[in-house]
Amino acid sequence: MHSVVVGTSGVTASDVLAVARGGARVELSGEAVAALAAAREIVEALAAKPEPVYGVSTGFGALATRHISPELRAQLQRNIVRSHAAGMGPRVEREVVRALMFLRLKTVCSGRTGVRPSVAQTMADVLNAGITPVVHEFGSLGCSGDLAPLSHCALTLMGEGDAEGPDGVVRPAGELLAAHGIEPVELREKEGLALLNGTDGMLGMLIMALADLDTLYKSADITAALSLEALLGTDKVLAPELHAIRPHPGQSTSAANMLAVLKGSELTGHHQDDAPRVQDAYSVRCAPQVAGAGRDTMAHARLVADRELASAVDNPVVLPDGRVESNGNFHGAPVAYVLDFLAVVAADLGSIAERRTDRLLDKNRSHGLPPFLADDAGVDSGLMIAQYTQAALVSEMKRLAVPASADSIPSSAMQEDHVSMGWSAARKLRTAVDNLTRIVAIELYAATRAVELRAGLTPAPASRAAIDAVRAAGVAGPGPDRFLAPDLAAADAFVRSGGLVAAVEPVTGPLS
């Protein structure tokens, strides 16, 4: 297992995925350790002065007006962690918590937070031991950072609260630290605050959503191409010169992907046969425009994520000239907005996929396919209710597209009077990505069956590869009615794993 080295200049999205999902080990660079020590000296010098400094020798939030005497400052740091670890609801997924912890460590190692090197090393040790703090669904307003989620992580560093061990069993955190030879941290001035004050949870979920959506958008291009084939549509609308005159990069990419999948098909170009039509329906003809706009939105979201990955989000921060200054960089608005944007485009991609599925099942619009792709329509219902399931998922996606970041609710006695709700935007995006996977899987199920029902016409080699792979994955082809749920689950797992993209790329070359 490879290691990810954390320095002072941030990390990459690939680093986050390696730690969160791949279990990669974490190491601190020598540069980071030196920067941590230098910033700590500044904080300790300020702590020794009689003048109050926010987060070092004062209370927090609306209580920042109280100057805290030296003998109470360690207690102050412990107390902020304990009191802020106030999450409720279901547990958050392990990969989200690992991303959250790793990204907080990234900021700590920037040398802008004033945390001791030993605290940073303990954070790395906990990650490397496979210990995952129990973090709950509710508790972050996305301003002053993801406070409650990060507090539950900091509580584990202190040897308090509950955590999940590498065996998946939840135990008291102190027991887990002792079992792995990790000493609990004794927090000093500013350290409790520094462990809580970041956008790390929402950023981690953004990075993972972008990785999942990258695969899903490629998968959706493939299923759109399969549906176009099954409906005997024309691939002329995918010509590069048509997309060059409306130069949105994502649109050209989507069209190119579809064209690559359709290369060599005998099913395309029959739109002037028995029932002539001038143009295909929007859900077929405009697939690159919709998927392309989603891709361009993802490109903007990646830009925001990359900027956040290079950021040191804390309050106050230690500046290169030695000043310790308060700021508002913990506000999650930049991340919250793009999380909401992605939920919107995911909903629309799901919507257009469902419209293609419905067209495949409707004998009045499918250009010769049997009703509901049934073996013996009337005796068999075919994929009728699979489309109902898809429609239910699309309807839920539309609700999830309502932006969380348009909301704000005041807190901390009106000190924190405008918040981002970015954590909530991230949580609903994760659900949206899950649902989109299922929607694409159902289109795949319908489109592959429909292509196979076009007897006498040979699909494109890439389409054939997709059909063969999905059948090998346990998804049945045309035939009498059967218990559909296992087939749909197998199609979902196939798309979710990246199997669909992997099946066609040996034929098409890498999809973009």
Side-chain angles (χ1 to χ4, degrees):
M1 186 180 297
H2 78 283
S3 295
V4 171
V5 178
V6 185
T8 59
S9 58
V11 296
T12 67
S14 295
D15 292 336
V16 177
L17 294 169
V19 173
R21 290 180 164 172
R25 290 185 59 79
V26 178
E27 298 177 8
L28 310 185
S29 73
E31 174 194 32
V33 173
L36 284 159
R40 186 63 202 175
E41 286 183 10
I42 294 169
V43 167
E44 290 181 352
L46 287 171
K49 292 183 176 181
E51 297 84 9
V53 178
Y54 176 72
V56 176
S57 53
T58 72
F60 309 111
L63 302 176
T65 54
R66 179 176 171 183
H67 183 238
I68 307 299
S69 58
E71 66 273 13
L72 293 177
R73 289 176 190 169
Q75 182 180 339
L76 170 70
Q77 300 300 320
R78 288 194 302 272
N79 285 352
I80 190 176
V81 172
R82 289 168 177 164
S83 65
H84 285 43
M88 293 185 73
R91 282 181 57 195
V92 171
E93 303 86 355
R94 182 176 185 270
E95 66 177 15
V96 172
V97 179
R98 285 184 62 81
L100 173 78
M101 294 174 66
F102 176 65
L103 286 167
R104 195 69 219 141
L105 176 60
K106 176 269 298 183
T107 284
V108 165
C109 286
S110 69
R112 298 283 170 259
T113 68
V115 169
R116 287 169 293 151
S118 60
V119 176
Q121 186 59 56
T122 301
M123 296 171 76
D125 292 342
V126 168
L127 282 165
N128 293 339
I131 298 170
T132 307
V134 171
V135 173
H136 299 279
E137 183 88 26
F138 301 104
S140 173
L141 301 180
C143 205
S144 289
D146 291 318
L147 286 175
L150 283 163
S151 297
H152 282 276
C153 294
L155 201 64
T156 293
L157 299 178
M158 291 165 51
E160 300 180 18
D162 292 327
E164 179 186 296
D167 57 0
V169 177
V170 174
R171 296 167 55 191
E175 291 181 15
L176 284 168
L177 295 186
H180 289 85
I182 301 172
E183 285 289 327
V185 298
E186 295 280 348
L187 297 175
R188 297 182 186 171
E189 291 93 345
K190 194 182 178 304
E191 290 181 333
L193 185 60
L195 294 177
L196 316 185
N197 221 337
T199 55
D200 309 290
M202 63 183 91
L203 176 58
M205 286 186 274
L206 171 61
I207 289 165
M208 289 186 282
L210 284 168
D212 294 338
L213 286 168
D214 183 64
T215 299
L216 274 175
Y217 268 77
K218 294 174 185 175
S219 300
D221 287 341
I222 297 167
T223 59
L226 285 164
S227 292
L228 185 151
E229 266 192 304
L231 292 166
L232 304 179
T234 177
D235 60 357
K236 289 184 177 181
V237 297
L238 304 173
E241 57 269 25
L242 293 175
H243 298 279
I245 62 175
R246 194 189 190 195
H248 294 288
Q251 178 178 321
S252 294
T253 296
S254 247
N257 284 347
M258 290 181 66
L259 206 54
V261 173
L262 293 169
K263 185 178 181 181
S265 175
E266 292 184 3
L267 280 78
T268 58
H270 293 275
H271 56 293
Q272 295 292 335
D273 289 356
D274 298 334
R277 58 193 190 277
V278 176
Q279 301 175 122
D280 290 317
Y282 284 9
S283 60
V284 178
R285 187 174 11 133
C286 301
Q289 283 77 9
V290 171
R295 274 189 164 84
D296 291 342
T297 303
M298 288 168 59
H300 172 61
R302 283 195 190 93
L303 176 63
V304 172
D306 287 344
R307 288 170 176 166
E308 285 288 301
L309 285 168
S311 300
V313 177
D314 193 17
N315 180 47
V317 290
V318 182
L319 293 172
D321 61 7
R323 287 180 296 142
V324 176
E325 297 285 358
S326 292
N327 66 91
N329 284 341
F330 49 73
H331 199 290
V335 184
Y337 294 160
V338 294
L339 288 162
D340 280 333
F341 296 164
L342 292 176
V344 170
V345 299
D348 203 34
L349 187 65
S351 178
I352 198 170
E354 183 275 330
R355 287 294 80 205
R356 289 190 295 264
T357 303
D358 183 64
R359 185 166 289 271
L360 290 167
L361 305 190
D362 183 352
K363 69 173 185 176
N364 297 311
R365 295 180 291 141
S366 66
H367 311 291
L369 290 169
F372 303 106
L373 307 181
D375 186 62
D376 184 4
V379 174
D380 293 313
S381 295
L383 305 191
M384 179 192 294
I385 307 305
Q387 185 268 330
Y388 281 33
T389 299
Q390 195 183 38
L393 288 162
V394 169
S395 186
E396 175 69 8
M397 292 281 283
K398 293 173 183 176
R399 291 189 288 272
L400 292 167
V402 175
S405 58
D407 185 29
S408 177
I409 189 164
S411 55
S412 192
M414 292 299 287
Q415 174 72 4
E416 298 169 10
D417 59 352
H418 184 275
V419 297
S420 78
M421 302 308 296
W423 173 273
S424 299
R427 296 306 296 164
K428 70 183 181 65
L429 177 59
R430 284 181 70 83
T431 303
V433 170
D434 271 351
N435 286 350
L436 180 59
T437 308
R438 299 179 181 109
I439 291 166
V440 171
I442 292 171
E443 183 182 15
L444 175 66
Y445 190 26
T448 52
R449 177 183 285 212
V451 168
E452 289 186 298
L453 287 170
R454 294 292 189 187
L457 293 171
T458 304
S463 301
R464 184 73 261 169
I467 293 168
D468 291 344
V470 80
R471 297 291 171 258
V475 182
D481 280 358
R482 54 188 275 136
F483 181 22
L484 274 190
D487 276 359
L488 297 179
D492 174 44
F494 182 66
V495 172
R496 195 175 295 273
S497 69
L500 179 57
V501 177
V504 305
E505 285 191 328
V507 181
T508 62
L511 299 178
S512 299

